[in-house]
Amino acid sequence: MAEDERSEEQTELTEPTQEAGATRLVSVAVPVALDQAFSYAVPPELELPPPGARVVVPFGARVLIGVVRPVAAERPEGQLRELLELLDPPDAPALSEDLVSLCEWIADYYVAPVGETYRLALPASAMGVDARRARLSDVGAAALEAASNPLLTGARGQRSAEVELATHDRRVLERLAEAGAGPGTKGLAVASLSKARGRPAIPAILVRLSKLAARGLVEVDAGEAESRRARTEVHYRRTDRLRSGSGDEPALAEAVGRSKQRRALLDYLELQAPEIWTSISELRGPFPRVRQLIKPLLGAGLVIESERLRELDPFAAPALEAGEPPRLTDDQEAALTSLLGALEAGRFRGSLLHGITGSGKTEVYLRLIAEVRRRGCGAIVLVPEIALTPQLAERFRARFGDEVAVLHSGLTPQQRLDAQAHIRAGRRPIVIGARSAVFAPVPKLRVIVVDEEHDASFKQDDGVRYNARDVALVRARSLDAIVVLGSATPSLESWHGTREGRLELLSLTVRPTPRPLPEVEIVNLREHLPNRETLLSATLRTRLLDTVAAGEQAIVFLNRRGYTTALSCQTCGSFQQCPDCSAPSMTYHLGRNRLMCHLCGHIEGAPERCSSCGGSELEHGAAGTERVEVALAADLPGVRVARLDRDTSRGRALVEVLDRFRRREADVLIGTQMLSKGHDFPGVTLVGVLRADQGLALPDFRATERVFQLLTQVAGRAGRGDRPGRVVLQTWAPDNVAIQHAQRHDFEGFAELELAARANVGHPPLDNPPLGHAALIRISGEDRAQVSARARELGALVHELVARVRAGGATKVGAHGPDDSPIGRINRRLRMQILVRAGERGPMRWVLRHLRQALGPRGRGRTGTVARVDVDPYSLM
């Protein structure tokens, strides 16, 4: 795992030192994608900021907020620019020493721009563009008027005359007045004030602005929009224009444009019920630039807006009543005793809590954190997606009350800042959140829990491609804290770590309830053909009817959303493809009567004729969850069917679907992999998997592992109450090892076979992770010639570096490519890749460090290319 290399790979962290009388320099992490350091001079009137402190710096024509790094600054060859302002007191930097160290490690290990890495550790509004606004106060306006007219008389003039204005202070007030930022206005952006284009520079302008604000001459705040958010905020909802037919397609295409984010935003709103208003708070999580993205949609009449009351927490679940903690099983008692012993020792330890589904891992977390709180310390609990696990947050609130802070994408920037302040002050010492919560500034942090540690969502797949599980281990090591990785189907990386002694194995082999693990039945679809519409075999249909008749609930799992996965022409056989991607076809969504590409978000009206030959006979392909929902409701009269996938469950709608099913207002819940995310439905006694073999044929060495994990997790939703459970796996590949071991709930047997299969693979024969190590270099761009040329150039450099490493004695290292990626084009960007593998991490790290300067963006516009590296990739697609 990543944390193994910390001691030998950690960037040396030193306090910036200055010679007496010399210009004071600091290295600043600026939130841009450029992979380089930026040095700034500290003007005499400012104190030397410590590492982790936020500072305001000029960057080109912009004014940005960056973070001081703990490395010695280098004097640039060109002009040396000065810091404009310090935003944090010297004794209270925004980032603690351990978080600064963690950011430096991430930038080094994941070969990521350091500014982008520091941005991960702070709320979006705390780092980036200086968004504050400034305006003259009444006193300031009067003082400026008096300074301009010494003969001014009257009460106002007498009061103003008492205010003395230095030359440069007066110039600051004059700029505000010229910009119309007078009393009662929304003010002028501070960033604009400090740019001073075409005007003589004002020394330390932001420092002067702060002092003027302290004297009451100006007002500086977050702006009118933030103050308004205290009670109301803008809400949006879609109109029916998108559903009005294909006549407006050109106009709609022009409004939506090629922006992948704008397409996704429109899709997000399209999937809400017509009467549902979605707040800008909820949208800002997945779409940070929502205000810019939504303007063309408003102008085209696709979306309308309204000022409405703000939800305090759009993902909050109903409160649970606090009760007596349940009695622990022998396995839980043993695991807790071991963890408490590690806590008492006060040294770092990583543990893998391998517990079968429903074995009570959460209760172990709760008891451990209760002891942490008794000692006056704090804890972080990471979950795959906070919106998918509201029950977990409420269980913690029921046990610990207001000590729990929940971080998720639905919080406004101000709410996130407030939450961070509460956490940093020790008022909320227990933090629950998704991937980014690993950076929470918890004082006296002693425990980090990573629940469902195998889940792919802990690995960020764009920007800084870090894995929160590994980052948690690195942070805990620096603090002598303990980490608990919990899962019924651990990642093979974590499982291999227990074999090598890097992680302690703790096992929960029984459920606290009297019911055992559910019985799993395999239905061979070669012998029992499923119904074309419902995809149910006769066996599964009978089981469903029996379950509902007994007053119980069932889950039907199909990891494919939409109505059908393809629309093909019966005349020429061609599929209706996305114009911007290399996917075979787009998915048809019945409710919207539109085709959608699930790779780039392209949306278009369902055609009446084939786009290739003009034929009028179009045939639907394989069914998705939307089609199965419709077919089940028709085939099973009287059975109440609900659906849980990305099309029905965005934002608050997700919690509403889960609560409705928990209240027994639906008999059958059909859904995608969202169903496997740790939900607890006591009424579910049957789980049916329609295509258990889906995903096995993907060209990725993790494909079999992912299928096994998904099947085992979704099967674990059955029989968690007081009645026994049953699972039916329908498959065309009944003899596959993933399916056979999932039937027996046999993780250990599967892990041994899969690890053996990953040994000595390819040419030269190397071990796939976790036995070996890998890094994937991806090259993308719109121009085929430019992408190919860049890939060949990088490929030659990689192979040269590998040859040098091998010549030095490290024979277990190799490179493959450049090759076209399995998905060769997404959103008009062509994709190629180079795979580097090594038996030991050291040689691979050496190759990547020497490759670093050749990565990043090159060129602009259509001929530009981007090269990024994904260390420890989760997917090779």
Side-chain angles (χ1 to χ4, degrees):
M1 280 191 178
E3 87 279 3
D4 296 337
E5 305 302 320
R6 180 178 179 83
S7 58
E8 57 190 70
E9 300 288 349
Q10 174 68 53
T11 303
E12 183 179 359
L13 304 180
T14 58
E15 293 282 348
T17 57
Q18 308 291 337
E19 296 179 5
T23 302
R24 299 180 300 169
L25 300 180
V26 289
S27 179
V28 178
V30 182
V32 294
L34 299 175
D35 190 15
Q36 64 184 82
F38 297 96
S39 297
Y40 289 88
V42 182
E45 62 269 24
L46 296 183
E47 294 186 59
L48 185 67
R54 293 175 304 141
V55 293
V56 182
V57 297
F59 192 83
R62 295 181 290 170
V63 176
L64 301 178
I65 298 175
V67 178
V68 176
R69 299 178 60 198
V71 297
E74 297 180 2
R75 181 178 291 274
E77 295 181 0
Q79 180 184 3
L80 182 64
R81 306 183 76 177
E82 291 186 339
L83 300 183
L84 299 175
E85 186 179 0
L86 310 184
L87 293 183
D88 300 320
D91 59 344
L95 294 180
S96 60
E97 183 179 346
D98 78 290
L99 285 174
V100 169
S101 174
L102 187 67
C103 289
E104 293 289 334
W105 180 86
I106 290 173
D108 177 64
Y109 181 81
Y110 290 104
V111 196
V114 69
E116 293 290 295
T117 301
Y118 273 87
R119 196 203 294 259
L120 295 172
L122 286 168
S125 55
M127 186 179 182
V129 176
D130 188 358
R132 297 168 302 158
R133 305 188 74 84
R135 71 186 68 81
L136 285 171
S137 67
D138 288 329
V139 176
L144 182 61
E145 186 177 353
S148 303
N149 186 2
L151 300 179
L152 186 67
T153 59
R156 182 179 176 190
Q158 292 170 0
R159 186 176 72 249
S160 306
E162 299 174 0
V163 179
E164 294 185 6
L165 291 178
T167 301
H168 293 309
D169 291 343
R170 176 178 172 178
R171 291 175 60 194
V172 173
L173 299 185
E174 287 175 342
R175 284 191 186 174
L176 290 173
E178 291 170 3
T185 68
K186 70 176 183 179
L188 175 70
V190 168
S192 300
L193 178 67
S194 55
K195 287 179 184 177
R197 289 182 178 177
R199 306 286 294 277
I202 300 176
I205 184 170
L206 297 188
V207 177
R208 295 182 185 278
L209 187 65
S210 297
K211 291 180 178 179
L212 290 171
R215 295 169 62 188
L217 299 177
V218 299
E219 298 170 351
V220 181
D221 55 38
E224 181 255 342
E226 284 297 335
S227 61
R228 185 183 67 233
R229 242 181 245 126
R231 290 180 296 175
T232 65
E233 64 180 338
V234 178
H235 285 62
Y236 302 96
R237 70 173 174 84
R238 59 144 174 108
T239 66
D240 287 331
R241 187 180 175 196
L242 197 61
R243 302 166 184 256
S244 61
S246 57
D248 290 332
E249 286 298 322
L252 298 181
E254 182 179 356
V256 176
R258 286 186 48 217
S259 167
K260 183 177 179 181
Q261 283 286 293
R262 185 170 292 121
R263 297 175 191 175
L265 172 60
L266 180 60
D267 182 51
Y268 192 105
L269 294 172
E270 263 288 292
L271 296 173
Q272 308 294 341
E275 69 280 2
I276 295 296
W277 289 90
T278 304
S279 70
I280 195 171
S281 302
E282 180 178 329
L283 294 172
R284 190 178 279 110
F287 308 105
R289 295 174 52 248
V290 59
R291 288 191 180 276
Q292 291 76 27
L293 293 171
I294 209 162
K295 285 181 180 178
L297 305 182
L298 290 167
L302 296 172
V303 175
I304 58 176
E305 66 179 355
S306 173
E307 189 80 14
R308 305 173 75 85
L309 287 174
R310 176 171 60 84
E311 294 281 352
L312 292 178
D313 187 345
F315 294 104
L320 299 178
E321 293 184 5
E324 283 294 321
R327 182 176 179 179
L328 298 181
T329 65
D330 291 343
D331 285 349
Q332 288 174 311
E333 194 73 60
L336 181 61
T337 299
S338 177
L339 292 171
L340 292 178
L343 186 66
E344 181 66 31
R347 295 190 299 273
F348 165 76
R349 193 174 84 181
S351 299
L352 174 62
L353 183 61
H354 174 216
I356 61 173
T357 54
S359 59
K361 293 183 288 293
T362 302
E363 186 60 32
V364 176
Y365 306 154
L366 288 165
R367 300 285 184 100
L368 173 63
I369 293 173
E371 176 60 23
V372 169
R373 289 300 305 126
R374 191 187 68 79
R375 296 167 180 254
C377 301
I380 294 174
V381 181
L382 300 182
V383 293
E385 295 181 56
I386 191 61
L388 295 175
T389 52
Q391 274 192 315
L392 181 66
E394 292 314 307
R395 285 189 65 179
F396 272 80
R397 283 182 175 137
R399 195 73 63 93
F400 300 108
D402 290 339
E403 291 191 337
V404 178
V406 182
L407 301 178
H408 55 68
S409 60
L411 299 178
T412 67
Q414 189 61 48
Q415 287 172 326
R416 189 170 289 273
L417 277 174
D418 291 344
Q420 292 272 350
H422 278 271
I423 295 167
R424 185 179 292 108
R427 297 172 184 168
R428 300 289 179 94
I430 302 171
V431 175
I432 300 177
R435 183 174 56 222
S436 61
V438 73
F439 300 102
V442 178
K444 300 179 182 179
L445 180 62
R446 296 293 298 121
V447 167
I448 304 179
V449 171
V450 186
D451 193 32
E452 307 295 349
E453 64 87 24
H454 67 278
D455 198 279
S457 64
F458 286 123
K459 172 73 170 178
Q460 182 157 298
D461 58 5
D462 59 5
V464 182
R465 292 167 171 81
Y466 72 98
N467 190 314
R469 177 198 63 206
D470 294 349
V471 171
L473 288 162
V474 171
R475 185 177 183 190
R477 183 184 291 276
S478 70
L479 296 172
D480 283 327
I482 65 175
V483 176
V484 184
L485 309 179
S487 178
T489 55
S491 63
L492 292 185
E493 280 78 6
S494 297
W495 185 254
H496 188 60
T498 64
R499 294 174 50 168
E500 293 192 328
R502 292 183 284 110
L503 295 173
E504 180 191 25
L505 177 62
L506 306 173
S507 298
L508 305 181
T509 58
V510 296
R511 289 180 165 184
T513 65
R515 301 300 176 188
L517 286 171
E519 176 186 343
V520 180
E521 177 181 5
I522 293 179
V523 175
N524 187 346
L525 293 180
R526 298 174 185 173
E527 301 173 359
H528 305 278
L529 291 178
N531 179 280
R532 178 176 173 80
E533 297 296 322
T534 65
L535 300 189
L536 300 180
S537 63
T539 301
L540 181 52
R541 185 178 186 277
T542 300
R543 300 277 187 268
L544 272 176
L545 290 172
D546 291 345
T547 298
V548 175
E552 300 165 356
Q553 293 177 294
I555 285 175
V556 175
F557 175 77
L558 176 64
N559 202 23
R560 179 189 292 144
R561 66 185 174 103
Y563 189 75
T564 52
T565 58
L567 205 58
S568 60
C569 177
Q570 290 185 341
T571 303
C572 69
S574 64
F575 292 97
Q576 307 308 296
Q577 291 182 295
C578 173
D580 299 333
C581 299
S582 60
S585 63
M586 290 189 286
T587 299
Y588 175 67
H589 292 260
L590 177 66
R592 291 175 282 170
N593 189 32
R594 306 190 73 77
L595 290 172
M596 178 178 178
C597 175
H598 289 173
L599 290 177
C600 75
H602 176 82
I603 305 175
E604 63 182 47
E608 296 180 358
R609 294 184 175 276
C610 173
S611 57
S612 296
C613 73
S616 59
E617 297 296 326
L618 298 178
E619 183 179 27
H620 288 283
T625 50
E626 187 181 18
R627 184 172 182 176
V628 172
E629 178 194 23
V630 173
L632 281 180
D635 186 55
L636 307 176
V639 175
R640 298 168 299 174
V641 180
R643 177 159 55 98
L644 183 73
D645 56 26
R646 295 293 181 190
D647 292 344
T648 64
S649 309
R650 302 288 182 105
R652 291 166 296 165
L654 171 68
V655 179
E656 291 168 4
V657 171
L658 293 173
D659 287 343
R660 187 156 58 91
F661 189 61
R662 241 176 236 113
R663 293 193 302 265
R664 305 288 187 102
E665 295 175 8
D667 304 309
V668 177
L669 182 61
I670 178 170
T672 57
Q673 63 179 341
M674 296 171 71
L675 289 172
S676 68
K677 304 280 186 175
H679 303 300
D680 192 357
F681 304 115
V684 171
T685 58
L686 175 68
V687 168
V689 180
L690 301 183
R691 280 290 308 272
D693 47 88
Q694 190 175 343
L696 287 174
L698 293 177
D700 194 315
F701 69 88
R702 297 187 197 271
T704 305
E705 179 186 5
R706 284 196 289 263
V707 170
F708 172 81
Q709 290 169 338
L710 194 55
L711 293 179
T712 303
Q713 290 287 341
V714 75
R717 302 312 106 200
R720 298 171 77 98
D722 57 0
R723 297 185 182 184
R726 175 186 289 269
V727 180
V728 177
L729 301 182
Q730 295 185 166
T731 176
W732 297 96
D735 297 326
N736 185 275
V737 294
I739 294 170
Q740 286 290 318
H741 286 275
Q743 181 188 27
R744 300 193 293 269
H745 305 283
D746 180 17
F747 170 79
E748 294 188 28
F750 170 78
E752 293 303 313
L753 286 176
E754 182 63 14
L755 287 173
R758 295 190 189 181
N760 295 317
V761 177
H763 303 283
L766 294 169
D767 296 335
N768 275 328
L771 304 175
H773 307 281
L776 190 66
I777 302 156
R778 290 188 172 97
I779 306 97
S780 65
E782 294 187 41
D783 186 271
R784 164 64 72 178
Q786 295 293 331
V787 173
S788 296
R790 182 90 187 269
R792 287 194 301 272
E793 175 188 328
L794 283 173
L797 179 56
V798 169
H799 285 285
E800 177 189 345
L801 292 171
V802 167
R804 291 171 60 184
V805 171
R806 293 175 65 87
T811 57
K812 279 192 166 293
V813 59
H816 307 269
D819 302 307
D820 288 334
S821 297
I823 303 177
R825 185 169 61 115
I826 296 179
N827 201 25
R828 296 192 184 182
R829 295 188 66 83
L830 298 158
R831 307 166 78 238
M832 298 186 72
Q833 61 191 40
I834 303 165
L835 180 64
V836 180
R837 296 192 298 156
E840 297 179 357
R841 199 179 298 275
M844 188 182 75
R845 300 288 302 138
W846 186 90
V847 170
L848 295 180
R849 281 184 175 145
H850 284 76
L851 183 69
R852 186 166 195 158
Q853 295 303 316
L855 301 173
R858 176 184 294 179
R860 294 184 177 181
R862 189 178 180 280
T863 59
T865 60
V866 176
R868 304 286 189 204
V869 62
D870 186 358
V871 179
D872 303 332
Y874 183 79
S875 172
L876 302 184
M877 299 294 288

